[in-house]
Amino acid sequence: MVRHSALLTLASVLISLSATPVQAENIDLLMTRLFPHNELTYIGFDSVEREDIPVASGVDRKYLIVDFRSNGENSREKQIARVHRICTTLLTNKDLISDLSQQGYDMVSVAFDRHSQYDCLP
């Protein structure tokens, strides 16, 4: 996927709280509940871990891609607004971010197709 923004380092914005690990159905339920189908359709998520990057390197190794399809206008402005809305919703969900952090995720990204990916920035 083509990267359209800088990498997000969640470690700087996350609080280490004790919580149960995020399960696939929890993310699926959350995304489906938060985003109405008439505007955005949540497709699913994918976890990517770059094992070729050493843990000690300080470079983001593990990230979550949340995949959507838009059901409306696809202008650049609308797409940027959708990315902002999705990222804001994800990053302000402290329980979700804490759970992802505890599972080793360094970054969260949004995708609308197989060709583009937008990183969520705090």
Side-chain angles (χ1 to χ4, degrees):
M1 292 185 171
V2 177
R3 304 194 63 76
H4 289 283
S5 63
L7 296 176
L8 167 67
T9 302
L10 290 177
S12 65
V13 295
L14 299 178
I15 300 171
S16 295
L17 301 173
S18 60
T20 59
V22 174
Q23 300 296 319
E25 67 180 11
N26 293 349
I27 294 173
D28 289 338
L29 290 172
L30 178 67
M31 294 297 104
T32 302
R33 186 177 73 245
L34 292 176
F35 299 101
H37 289 291
N38 60 341
E39 181 184 342
L40 291 169
T41 300
Y42 169 71
I43 303 297
F45 71 93
D46 193 15
S47 177
V48 177
E49 186 167 2
R50 297 280 313 268
E51 295 182 10
D52 58 320
I53 299 173
V55 175
S57 72
V59 175
D60 296 337
R61 297 183 71 236
K62 186 174 180 183
Y63 57 99
L64 184 76
I65 302 171
V66 185
D67 194 18
F68 288 87
R69 296 298 177 266
S70 60
N71 301 327
E73 181 185 340
N74 287 320
S75 70
R76 178 96 172 126
E77 293 78 22
K78 285 284 190 179
Q79 193 158 347
I80 290 169
R82 288 182 187 116
V83 169
H84 178 72
R85 182 172 164 227
I86 293 166
C87 288
T88 300
T89 301
L90 291 171
L91 294 176
T92 58
N93 186 321
K94 291 180 182 181
D95 291 335
L96 174 64
I97 296 301
S98 177
D99 290 346
L100 291 173
S101 178
Q102 288 179 6
Q103 292 178 49
Y105 286 96
D106 300 308
M107 179 176 53
V108 177
S109 297
V110 175
F112 293 105
D113 56 40
R114 295 190 179 273
H115 306 289
S116 59
Q117 171 181 323
Y118 303 87
D119 297 339
C120 294
L121 302 173

